[in-house]
Amino acid sequence: MNLVRQLKSIGIVFLALVVLWVFLTRLSSKDVRMAIVRKGSLQDYLEFTGQIEVEQKETVYSKYDGKVRKFLVSEGLSVLPFDKLLLVNLSDWGNSLKKAENSYRKMQSQVEQLRRKIGSDPVKLAQNLLQQAEAIETLARGKLVKVNDKLQEVKRLHESNKATAAELVDWQERLQIAGRALAEAVRKTEVARKNLELVKKAINHQELAEAEFKLKQLGLEVEQLRKNPGQAGIYAGISGRVVRKYVAVGEKVAAGDRLLELENSQTAYVRSELPAAVAAKIRIGQKVLISVAALGGNVIEGSVGAYTPLASAKNHGEVGRKFKVRVNYDTIKTILRTNSKVNLKFIINEAVDVLFIPKRAVFQRFGRHQVYVVERGKAFLRTVETGIADAENIEIKRGLFLGEQVILDPGIDLRPGMKVVDTRGL
């Protein structure tokens, strides 16, 4: 009996010691949240919204009074320049034909004037004048060098009494004349260069191309009117997609009424307005990620095509300056509805295949970035070198290894060497 009581007493004491040990151990440890050092990609970015806009679009107007007879296209259909879009029964065919013929003759005269203007080739003439001026400048520069060399020779001869003072004065005067001639040649070259620039600006080949396009369009209209008395066709002026009809079959229309809206989706882009404070972080060619509900969660990649300052605008009582940014994307692979809102991520910095941890694990101490690393269940300080960061994570360039555990939000009561317990495991 005594032995049994002794064994029970020993058991109770041992159990009490175990409980005490556990209690003291928990008192000297800290419950923490931990994270693992991972590897992947990080992006530092700015988030803004934008709107899809189209650079090339056309509102098709009626040129005639009449009634819509038939639509040859439907909304969503793609068309090419000179495709017939609809037919109109004319109220006054003879007058419509007369107006079309007059418009054709006027445009024909305009095209001929533009062709004569370009055919005279004033650019080539201006280029020849510039080449001549440059050649004269080169000769004047060479002559100045020769005269200066001769003057230096005469100076040496004069110092050794082998040339007279009159000869020295003569060559000094020749040098001045050569200098003035060169200055005049330089001035004429600059005038010829500016003249060439002005001539190039005055001649707009694009203007001729547009005029010839309109002439072809008018010619087609006149031909159709002559072939089909009583009706007229309305034609497309651009490549694009029919996005809207303004009238219905059987509806009366007058000259100048809107009939259709066309858009060339391949000239679409994203327009966004950014505050001046971030303008320094935006650059041409910068990567931009575009997301919109229509993509079903998918993200497409674009780039900054241009950015220009907007005039100052009053907003909530404060005057601020904004920048208009154009973001280009692949309009062939992705078609987005005009005026739809999109979300933009302007990528400032990007790091691929790097180590990173949550920003909550990093703190500053004595001017250095540090983290608490968990080793054998204890917390140890480690100095790290950081890189770019996104909203949640930060790059670790030096100081940690893949798979190591770090402590989140360590707090001032955590000390090096203290035991730690991950609360996620409890």
Side-chain angles (χ1 to χ4, degrees):
M1 293 293 292
N2 291 334
L3 179 61
V4 172
R5 281 197 293 272
Q6 287 177 354
L7 289 174
K8 286 183 177 179
S9 298
I10 292 172
I12 292 171
V13 171
F14 178 76
L15 182 60
L17 289 173
V18 169
V19 172
L20 179 62
W21 179 81
V22 171
F23 178 73
L24 292 175
T25 300
R26 292 304 302 269
L27 283 179
S28 62
S29 67
K30 179 177 172 62
D31 292 341
V32 297
R33 293 290 301 273
M34 300 181 191
I36 297 175
V37 180
R38 293 184 292 166
K39 198 171 190 178
S41 300
L42 285 182
Q43 293 175 332
D44 180 17
Y45 55 83
L46 295 171
E47 283 190 289
F48 293 95
T49 58
Q51 180 173 298
I52 301 298
E53 296 193 357
V54 175
E55 195 168 51
Q56 188 180 36
K57 54 187 176 181
E58 179 188 25
T59 301
V60 180
Y61 296 94
S62 176
K63 295 184 178 181
Y64 317 101
D65 297 332
K67 185 182 292 185
V68 177
R69 177 182 177 182
K70 183 180 181 182
F71 274 101
L72 304 177
V73 295
S74 57
E75 290 185 4
L77 185 71
S78 294
V79 297
L80 296 172
F82 307 113
D83 279 356
K84 191 181 293 185
L85 304 174
L86 71 157
L87 297 174
V88 175
N89 286 332
L90 302 175
S91 301
D92 187 343
W93 172 77
N95 189 48
S96 297
L97 176 59
K98 185 177 179 180
K99 286 182 178 180
E101 289 174 337
N102 288 337
S103 296
Y104 179 80
R105 283 192 292 270
K106 288 180 181 178
M107 185 56 64
Q108 194 174 37
S109 176
Q110 183 178 336
V111 168
E112 289 173 356
Q113 289 178 5
L114 288 171
R115 284 174 178 169
R116 284 196 299 270
K117 184 179 178 181
I118 293 177
S120 62
D121 210 352
V123 173
K124 187 174 181 180
L125 177 60
Q127 287 174 335
N128 290 337
L129 291 174
L130 176 58
Q131 291 174 356
Q132 293 174 14
E134 288 174 339
I136 292 173
E137 180 185 336
T138 300
L139 290 173
R141 201 176 297 279
K143 185 173 182 179
L144 180 65
V145 171
K146 290 180 179 179
V147 171
N148 185 61
D149 290 342
K150 183 63 177 179
L151 174 60
Q152 300 308 317
E153 180 184 349
V154 172
K155 280 184 178 179
R156 290 192 296 271
L157 292 173
H158 181 262
E159 289 172 358
S160 60
N161 297 319
K162 294 181 179 179
T164 64
E167 289 176 310
L168 179 60
V169 171
D170 179 54
W171 281 104
Q172 287 174 337
E173 291 177 350
R174 291 188 185 188
L175 182 65
Q176 292 178 355
I177 294 171
R180 289 194 293 269
L182 175 60
E184 179 63 15
V186 169
R187 186 189 68 80
K188 289 183 176 180
T189 299
E190 186 60 27
V191 169
R193 185 173 289 110
K194 289 182 178 179
N195 182 60
L196 175 59
E197 293 174 0
L198 291 173
V199 170
K200 284 183 176 180
K201 289 181 180 179
I203 294 181
N204 190 344
H205 290 267
Q206 181 63 29
E207 184 182 358
L208 174 61
E210 291 175 358
E212 288 177 333
F213 180 88
K214 290 179 182 178
L215 179 65
K216 183 177 179 181
Q217 207 171 29
L218 288 168
L220 185 61
E221 291 174 9
V222 169
E223 181 183 356
Q224 292 298 311
L225 282 168
R226 288 172 177 170
K227 287 182 178 180
N228 302 287
Q231 72 176 36
I234 305 294
Y235 300 88
I238 64 170
S239 296
R241 188 167 52 91
V242 179
V243 295
R244 185 175 179 182
K245 291 181 179 179
Y246 291 105
V247 293
V249 173
E251 188 173 338
K252 287 185 178 182
V253 293
D257 285 353
R258 292 184 301 176
L259 303 176
L260 295 166
E261 195 77 32
L262 307 179
E263 288 183 355
N264 186 345
S265 60
Q266 293 185 18
T267 66
Y269 65 97
V270 184
R271 183 185 189 274
S272 182
E273 292 184 7
L274 276 59
V278 302
K281 296 182 179 180
I282 305 301
R283 61 188 184 278
I284 302 298
Q286 184 174 6
K287 181 178 177 181
V288 183
L289 300 181
I290 305 168
S291 58
V292 62
L295 296 175
N298 293 326
V299 176
I300 61 173
E301 186 174 317
S303 62
V304 175
Y307 61 94
T308 53
L310 292 173
S312 296
K314 196 169 185 179
N315 185 21
H316 301 297
E318 295 180 358
V319 176
R321 192 184 183 107
K322 289 188 175 182
F323 278 73
K324 180 178 71 174
V325 180
R326 176 192 175 112
V327 177
N328 298 323
Y329 63 95
D330 191 334
T331 55
I332 297 177
K333 290 183 178 179
T334 306
I335 298 177
L336 298 174
R337 186 180 294 275
T338 307
N339 298 325
S340 60
K341 304 294 183 181
V342 299
N343 298 314
L344 303 172
K345 283 186 178 181
F346 293 84
I347 306 303
I348 308 303
N349 286 306
E350 189 171 21
V352 180
D353 201 28
V354 297
L355 297 180
F356 65 90
I357 58 174
K359 290 194 291 187
R360 294 164 51 197
V362 182
F363 58 93
Q364 280 201 335
R365 187 177 183 183
F366 306 122
R368 295 180 295 179
H369 288 101
Q370 294 189 323
V371 299
Y372 272 107
V373 181
V374 180
E375 297 179 5
R376 300 181 300 279
K378 295 182 179 181
F380 293 95
L381 271 177
R382 188 89 62 84
T383 299
V384 295
E385 181 184 345
T386 60
I388 72 168
D390 60 17
E392 297 181 358
N393 301 305
I394 188 167
E395 176 190 2
I396 301 298
K397 292 184 174 181
R398 190 176 293 110
L400 292 176
F401 298 96
L402 182 65
E404 286 192 298
Q405 286 185 309
V406 294
I407 296 175
L408 304 177
D409 305 315
I412 59 174
D413 58 334
L414 182 62
R415 299 182 302 276
M418 181 180 287
K419 291 183 179 180
V420 290
V421 178
D422 191 350
T423 56
R424 291 178 301 179
L426 297 179

PDB file of all heavy atoms in Angstrom, residues 142-156:
ATOM      1  N   GLY A 142      36.047  77.165 -97.700  1.00  0.00           N
ATOM      2  CA  GLY A 142      37.380  76.754 -98.147  1.00  0.00           C
ATOM      3  C   GLY A 142      38.261  77.953 -98.479  1.00  0.00           C
ATOM      4  O   GLY A 142      39.458  77.957 -98.164  1.00  0.00           O
ATOM      5  N   LYS A 143      37.671  78.970 -99.115  1.00  0.00           N
ATOM      6  CA  LYS A 143      38.446  80.167 -99.462  1.00  0.00           C
ATOM      7  C   LYS A 143      38.918  80.891 -98.216  1.00  0.00           C
ATOM      8  O   LYS A 143      40.059  81.391 -98.158  1.00  0.00           O
ATOM      9  CB  LYS A 143      37.596  81.099-100.324  1.00  0.00           C
ATOM     10  CG  LYS A 143      38.368  82.314-100.824  1.00  0.00           C
ATOM     11  CD  LYS A 143      37.552  83.132-101.804  1.00  0.00           C
ATOM     12  CE  LYS A 143      38.374  84.317-102.329  1.00  0.00           C
ATOM     13  NZ  LYS A 143      37.612  85.129-103.303  1.00  0.00           N
ATOM     14  N   LEU A 144      38.063  80.957 -97.194  1.00  0.00           N
ATOM     15  CA  LEU A 144      38.453  81.612 -95.942  1.00  0.00           C
ATOM     16  C   LEU A 144      39.646  80.908 -95.311  1.00  0.00           C
ATOM     17  O   LEU A 144      40.582  81.560 -94.820  1.00  0.00           O
ATOM     18  CB  LEU A 144      37.263  81.608 -94.969  1.00  0.00           C
ATOM     19  CG  LEU A 144      37.530  82.256 -93.598  1.00  0.00           C
ATOM     20  CD1 LEU A 144      37.794  83.745 -93.763  1.00  0.00           C
ATOM     21  CD2 LEU A 144      36.357  82.022 -92.648  1.00  0.00           C
ATOM     22  N   VAL A 145      39.640  79.595 -95.366  1.00  0.00           N
ATOM     23  CA  VAL A 145      40.767  78.839 -94.801  1.00  0.00           C
ATOM     24  C   VAL A 145      42.057  79.138 -95.555  1.00  0.00           C
ATOM     25  O   VAL A 145      43.114  79.366 -94.964  1.00  0.00           O
ATOM     26  CB  VAL A 145      40.457  77.319 -94.832  1.00  0.00           C
ATOM     27  CG1 VAL A 145      41.705  76.521 -94.450  1.00  0.00           C
ATOM     28  CG2 VAL A 145      39.301  76.995 -93.894  1.00  0.00           C
ATOM     29  N   LYS A 146      41.966  79.175 -96.891  1.00  0.00           N
ATOM     30  CA  LYS A 146      43.167  79.443 -97.708  1.00  0.00           C
ATOM     31  C   LYS A 146      43.709  80.853 -97.457  1.00  0.00           C
ATOM     32  O   LYS A 146      44.923  81.054 -97.336  1.00  0.00           O
ATOM     33  CB  LYS A 146      42.835  79.264 -99.190  1.00  0.00           C
ATOM     34  CG  LYS A 146      42.592  77.814 -99.597  1.00  0.00           C
ATOM     35  CD  LYS A 146      42.272  77.710-101.088  1.00  0.00           C
ATOM     36  CE  LYS A 146      42.044  76.269-101.497  1.00  0.00           C
ATOM     37  NZ  LYS A 146      41.714  76.143-102.940  1.00  0.00           N
ATOM     38  N   VAL A 147      42.787  81.844 -97.406  1.00  0.00           N
ATOM     39  CA  VAL A 147      43.222  83.224 -97.176  1.00  0.00           C
ATOM     40  C   VAL A 147      43.867  83.352 -95.805  1.00  0.00           C
ATOM     41  O   VAL A 147      44.895  84.036 -95.640  1.00  0.00           O
ATOM     42  CB  VAL A 147      42.024  84.193 -97.311  1.00  0.00           C
ATOM     43  CG1 VAL A 147      42.420  85.596 -96.856  1.00  0.00           C
ATOM     44  CG2 VAL A 147      41.534  84.223 -98.752  1.00  0.00           C
ATOM     45  N   ASN A 148      43.293  82.669 -94.813  1.00  0.00           N
ATOM     46  CA  ASN A 148      43.867  82.730 -93.463  1.00  0.00           C
ATOM     47  C   ASN A 148      45.251  82.087 -93.429  1.00  0.00           C
ATOM     48  O   ASN A 148      46.183  82.605 -92.771  1.00  0.00           O
ATOM     49  CB  ASN A 148      42.939  82.031 -92.478  1.00  0.00           C
ATOM     50  CG  ASN A 148      43.435  82.165 -91.055  1.00  0.00           C
ATOM     51  OD1 ASN A 148      43.560  83.266 -90.515  1.00  0.00           O
ATOM     52  ND2 ASN A 148      43.747  81.033 -90.422  1.00  0.00           N
ATOM     53  N   ASP A 149      45.421  80.977 -94.143  1.00  0.00           N
ATOM     54  CA  ASP A 149      46.751  80.326 -94.198  1.00  0.00           C
ATOM     55  C   ASP A 149      47.782  81.256 -94.845  1.00  0.00           C
ATOM     56  O   ASP A 149      48.927  81.363 -94.376  1.00  0.00           O
ATOM     57  CB  ASP A 149      46.655  79.015 -94.991  1.00  0.00           C
ATOM     58  CG  ASP A 149      45.875  77.943 -94.243  1.00  0.00           C
ATOM     59  OD1 ASP A 149      45.702  78.083 -93.009  1.00  0.00           O
ATOM     60  OD2 ASP A 149      45.445  76.960 -94.892  1.00  0.00           O
ATOM     61  N   LYS A 150      47.358  81.929 -95.921  1.00  0.00           N
ATOM     62  CA  LYS A 150      48.267  82.853 -96.606  1.00  0.00           C
ATOM     63  C   LYS A 150      48.623  84.031 -95.705  1.00  0.00           C
ATOM     64  O   LYS A 150      49.788  84.479 -95.670  1.00  0.00           O
ATOM     65  CB  LYS A 150      47.600  83.356 -97.895  1.00  0.00           C
ATOM     66  CG  LYS A 150      48.479  84.276 -98.725  1.00  0.00           C
ATOM     67  CD  LYS A 150      49.728  83.567 -99.219  1.00  0.00           C
ATOM     68  CE  LYS A 150      50.585  84.451-100.110  1.00  0.00           C
ATOM     69  NZ  LYS A 150      51.808  83.782-100.586  1.00  0.00           N
ATOM     70  N   LEU A 151      47.618  84.532 -94.954  1.00  0.00           N
ATOM     71  CA  LEU A 151      47.887  85.648 -94.044  1.00  0.00           C
ATOM     72  C   LEU A 151      48.911  85.247 -92.991  1.00  0.00           C
ATOM     73  O   LEU A 151      49.826  86.036 -92.676  1.00  0.00           O
ATOM     74  CB  LEU A 151      46.580  86.091 -93.372  1.00  0.00           C
ATOM     75  CG  LEU A 151      46.712  87.169 -92.288  1.00  0.00           C
ATOM     76  CD1 LEU A 151      47.333  88.448 -92.855  1.00  0.00           C
ATOM     77  CD2 LEU A 151      45.370  87.459 -91.646  1.00  0.00           C
ATOM     78  N   GLN A 152      48.793  84.041 -92.451  1.00  0.00           N
ATOM     79  CA  GLN A 152      49.757  83.593 -91.441  1.00  0.00           C
ATOM     80  C   GLN A 152      51.160  83.484 -92.026  1.00  0.00           C
ATOM     81  O   GLN A 152      52.168  83.813 -91.373  1.00  0.00           O
ATOM     82  CB  GLN A 152      49.318  82.231 -90.869  1.00  0.00           C
ATOM     83  CG  GLN A 152      47.947  82.246 -90.202  1.00  0.00           C
ATOM     84  CD  GLN A 152      47.806  83.342 -89.148  1.00  0.00           C
ATOM     85  OE1 GLN A 152      48.736  83.567 -88.337  1.00  0.00           O
ATOM     86  NE2 GLN A 152      46.686  84.052 -89.180  1.00  0.00           N
ATOM     87  N   GLU A 153      51.217  83.061 -93.289  1.00  0.00           N
ATOM     88  CA  GLU A 153      52.525  82.973 -93.967  1.00  0.00           C
ATOM     89  C   GLU A 153      53.136  84.355 -94.148  1.00  0.00           C
ATOM     90  O   GLU A 153      54.343  84.572 -93.894  1.00  0.00           O
ATOM     91  CB  GLU A 153      52.346  82.289 -95.322  1.00  0.00           C
ATOM     92  CG  GLU A 153      53.656  82.148 -96.102  1.00  0.00           C
ATOM     93  CD  GLU A 153      53.441  81.559 -97.485  1.00  0.00           C
ATOM     94  OE1 GLU A 153      52.319  81.073 -97.764  1.00  0.00           O
ATOM     95  OE2 GLU A 153      54.392  81.609 -98.293  1.00  0.00           O
ATOM     96  N   VAL A 154      52.302  85.333 -94.590  1.00  0.00           N
ATOM     97  CA  VAL A 154      52.786  86.704 -94.784  1.00  0.00           C
ATOM     98  C   VAL A 154      53.240  87.307 -93.455  1.00  0.00           C
ATOM     99  O   VAL A 154      54.229  88.054 -93.408  1.00  0.00           O
ATOM    100  CB  VAL A 154      51.690  87.570 -95.444  1.00  0.00           C
ATOM    101  CG1 VAL A 154      52.100  89.041 -95.464  1.00  0.00           C
ATOM    102  CG2 VAL A 154      51.417  87.078 -96.873  1.00  0.00           C
ATOM    103  N   LYS A 155      52.544  86.989 -92.378  1.00  0.00           N
ATOM    104  CA  LYS A 155      52.938  87.485 -91.052  1.00  0.00           C
ATOM    105  C   LYS A 155      54.339  86.999 -90.690  1.00  0.00           C
ATOM    106  O   LYS A 155      55.182  87.768 -90.184  1.00  0.00           O
ATOM    107  CB  LYS A 155      51.935  87.032 -89.984  1.00  0.00           C
ATOM    108  CG  LYS A 155      50.660  87.857 -89.927  1.00  0.00           C
ATOM    109  CD  LYS A 155      49.779  87.380 -88.778  1.00  0.00           C
ATOM    110  CE  LYS A 155      48.518  88.238 -88.684  1.00  0.00           C
ATOM    111  NZ  LYS A 155      47.626  87.764 -87.570  1.00  0.00           N
ATOM    112  N   ARG A 156      54.602  85.724 -90.934  1.00  0.00           N
ATOM    113  CA  ARG A 156      55.937  85.180 -90.621  1.00  0.00           C
ATOM    114  C   ARG A 156      57.008  85.844 -91.494  1.00  0.00           C
ATOM    115  O   ARG A 156      58.110  86.164 -91.011  1.00  0.00           O
ATOM    116  CB  ARG A 156      55.932  83.650 -90.824  1.00  0.00           C
ATOM    117  CG  ARG A 156      55.115  82.898 -89.780  1.00  0.00           C
ATOM    118  CD  ARG A 156      55.379  81.403 -89.854  1.00  0.00           C
ATOM    119  NE  ARG A 156      54.935  80.836 -91.129  1.00  0.00           N
ATOM    120  CZ  ARG A 156      53.715  80.366 -91.346  1.00  0.00           C
ATOM    121  NH1 ARG A 156      52.823  80.401 -90.371  1.00  0.00           N
ATOM    122  NH2 ARG A 156      53.386  79.866 -92.515  1.00  0.00           N
TER     123      ARG A 156
END
